Amino acid sequence: MPPSAPSLPRRVARLLRTSLFAQVACALVLGIVVGRLWPGFGADLQPLGDGFIRLIKTIISPLVFCVVVVGIAKAGDLKAFGRIGLKALIWFEVASTLALIIGLLAANVVQPGAGMNVDPSTLDSAAVDEKTGGGSLPSTTEFVLHALPTSFIGAFAENSLLQVLILACLVGAALLHLGHTKVPQVLPAIEQAQEVIFAIVGFVMRLAPLAVFGAMAVLIGNYGLGVVETYAKLIVLCYAAAAFFIVLLAVALKLLTGLSLWKFLRYIREEMLLALGTASTESVMPRVMQKLRKAGARDDAVGLVLPTGYSFNLDGASLYLSIGTLFVAQAVGVDLSLGQQITVILVLMLTSKGMAGIPGSAFLALSATASSLGAIPAGAVALLLGVDRIMDSMRVVTNLLGNCVAVFAVSRWEGALDIEKAKKVLGGEEPAPAQQPAKEKEPVSETS
């Protein structure tokens, strides 16, 4: 007799035991329920999400360092690495500027803040200072100088990705200069360290459902669901603009590489759900790097483009900043001229760079933009305090997809993408092994 099919409870239990996607999805729902029913308890679960993010952050810098060094050393061409960096910066600037323009056009058409007639004097600007910790965005000079490491260990201790990237480039260049004969043990040691780090990533990811549960419970516990009704027009506009931008990304990816963004989304569905739950793209960077490498993108391209994009290619944040600026202006009754809106784009092109890791960076960028225009009261930025956390999902998805598409596009542009392997992996097929051991053992005839 054929074996009987397992019962539904057993199938569900097996799915929850083996599928990270199912575990995270259940944690997401449970977090919403707990935050809704017991908001006080939900708000106290902040350490679950924060602890997970801290663990992930300890891995990111050494992982980026290893991937970039190995990528440069194996590629054997430092000029190619420089070309990848230049092409990535070009892509980042075009993509983020397009996001800013789409945001401004959408806000002009829909006008989410029109009719609110808010008196800026009634807003508490001190709340913005509390959100940003009284900080400020670095100037261009400060940003460049901060990207240069003052200490090898310090770059890792501060978890500064740009500094780690520069150190990795220097080490990779030194390995190429010296050659494998002078330092034969260094590259294998870094490769082995890389494997150890990926193993640690696997261990930490088992805690992902707990992190998502805690993060969602805190979100709903602190803000509730009423904020959605108050800012419904703005929320819908931001998410619709993000969806339109993602469609453009899908078209660009198809035209440049022939790959499907939908298939890629299915490929990284676990990481995407985790990023949504924790409202952080950093939480999935190690796993996404690993998956992009498996999907045919060369190590040096993945190691350079993805981490750099976390500072220079924040497409979701750019959309939100441009829409948010016009929303605030419309809410307080300020009609921005075409020249002022062009100024908004130019200012945000600068202030949106290097925002990653700065507390309340969106409000700092919005405040800087308002100050540069001179027409919007700086305190009016406080209007977005209630809705900012709701926008995290939009920003996370758009930022992550924008950077992944950038990896594929720049890799294709540089000839560092295995298209056939990528199609097989995204289609659910395992990539064929590079070598067939069986053939090496068998004698090969002259006619074969």
Side-chain angles (χ1 to χ4, degrees), residues 52 196 198-208:
F52 179 80
V196 170
F198 277 127
I200 296 173
V201 170
F203 299 151
V204 175
M205 289 300 290
R206 294 179 183 178
L207 302 175

Side-chain angles (χ1 to χ4, degrees), residues 339-402:
Q340 288 174 315
Q341 293 193 34
I342 293 174
T343 302
V344 167
I345 293 178
L346 295 176
V347 172
L348 289 177
M349 283 173 64
L350 296 175
T351 57
S352 62
K353 302 295 186 292
M355 287 171 47
I358 301 175
S361 56
F363 290 96
L364 291 173
L366 286 168
S367 299
T369 306
S371 299
S372 67
L373 290 174
I376 305 174
V381 175
L383 276 171
L384 292 171
L385 283 170
V387 75
D388 183 68
R389 183 63 177 82
I390 305 295
M391 297 300 184
D392 277 341
S393 297
M394 177 274 290
R395 290 189 295 237
V396 162
V397 171
T398 312
N399 287 345
L400 184 57
L401 286 180

